[in-house]
Amino acid sequence: MIALEAQPFEFTFELATCALVIIDMQRDFIEPGGFGESLGNDVSLLSAIVPQCRAVLQAWRAAGALVVHTREAHRADLSDCPDAKRNRGNPRLRIGDAGPMGRILIAGEPGCEIVPELAPLPRETVIDKPGKGAFYATPLGALLRQAGITQLLFMGVTTEVCVQTSMREANDRGFECLLLEDCTESYFPQFKHATLEMVRAQGAIVGWTAPSTALLAALSRAEPVPR
Ligand code: TIU
């Protein structure tokens, strides 16, 4: 059993039954010229978390525990992208339009790929999701249950959109969730701050939060799981 100093209280977990879920660390959100910037956002904040995310990913891999990556990714024919999502706010560039990194948020296009520093290994699961939440219209829930996973550690972007939506979906499905505070970011710092507060409020109503340093320290003392 690994014990993490967390808020609002200690989070305990076993490596064999806990997965690291990395939400949408895609070039379209993090690099200039992608979908995030096309929505009018300053993307420079988001790339700052990549080193901490990488350190956690490497330590989690070394511990032998399960890693899941997600991407907000649509089919090339846009059959899984509702007009309500595509046209909302009459954006300059819409999902599926040609952007500087290929068609925006279309599976297989360069901008849709996960940033190279966090690239999935061939054996790691990558979930393409059409919504903001990682469980909606994906096999994630079934995959986690089959692997015997009961707890999830979250990293990724953006905190209040895809990360928070995914945590709430997971919480309602009976998973205990912890968000790594310095491994998530928003285009709006006040929204990140508010999300961390609301996740852990009311006795961890959605889940726990902890800094990556707490996890890294705990992992350095842990016995890796054979997988
Ligand atoms: N716009 C925004 O903050 N986020 C998204 O559209 N997707 C994710 O959060 N991945």
Side-chain angles (χ1 to χ4, degrees):
M1 188 70 79
I2 298 177
L4 266 195
E5 205 173 305
Q7 291 192 61
F9 51 87
E10 189 179 71
F11 182 80
T12 55
F13 67 98
E14 307 262 12
L15 286 169
T17 53
C18 187
L20 177 65
V21 180
I22 310 173
I23 301 288
D24 300 2
M25 290 295 288
Q26 296 162 260
R27 297 182 62 204
D28 259 330
F29 293 115
I30 291 171
E31 296 182 6
F35 179 61
E37 197 174 65
S38 80
L39 293 173
N41 298 308
D42 172 7
V43 298
S44 63
L45 279 171
L46 272 55
S47 54
I49 66 165
V50 171
Q52 298 92 280
C53 291
R54 186 172 158 84
V56 168
L57 176 58
Q58 287 177 332
W60 197 252
R61 282 172 175 161
L66 188 71
V67 178
V68 176
H69 306 257
T70 72
R71 300 185 295 202
E72 189 169 343
H74 292 276
R75 297 191 194 122
D77 64 5
L78 294 173
S79 58
D80 59 355
C81 184
D83 286 348
K85 178 177 185 183
R86 188 159 188 251
N87 298 330
R88 180 86 43 86
N90 197 22
R92 183 176 56 84
L93 284 175
R94 296 176 304 169
I95 292 169
D97 287 349
M101 294 188 280
R103 291 182 67 200
I104 288 178
L105 290 190
I106 298 299
E109 298 288 334
C112 198
E113 296 300 330
I114 290 167
V115 294
E117 296 90 334
L118 304 174
L121 296 178
R123 66 176 152 80
E124 289 173 350
T125 299
V126 180
I127 299 283
D128 280 345
K129 60 187 185 60
K132 301 306 183 191
F135 290 80
Y136 169 68
T138 76
L140 180 59
L143 184 148
L144 293 174
R145 272 190 297 278
Q146 197 168 5
I149 299 294
T150 57
Q151 293 176 303
L152 304 173
L153 305 184
F154 281 88
M155 319 197 284
V157 296
T158 60
T159 315
E160 80 283 11
V161 183
C162 290
V163 175
Q164 181 172 210
T165 305
S166 299
M167 282 187 78
R168 288 178 182 276
E169 285 185 332
N171 189 46
D172 281 350
R173 284 164 174 77
F175 295 96
E176 289 188 326
C177 301
L178 179 137
L179 177 54
L180 290 163
E181 296 158 4
D182 52 327
C183 296
T184 184
E185 196 47 85
S186 168
Y187 299 122
F188 308 93
Q190 71 274 28
F191 290 172
K192 171 181 173 175
H193 179 77
T195 302
L196 294 178
E197 293 282 337
M198 68 177 83
V199 160
R200 61 196 177 210
Q202 304 182 64
I205 192 94
V206 178
W208 287 254
T209 78
S212 64
T213 46
L215 177 63
L216 293 173
L219 288 178
S220 72
R221 298 188 295 267
E223 193 70 27
V225 276
R227 267 204 191 264

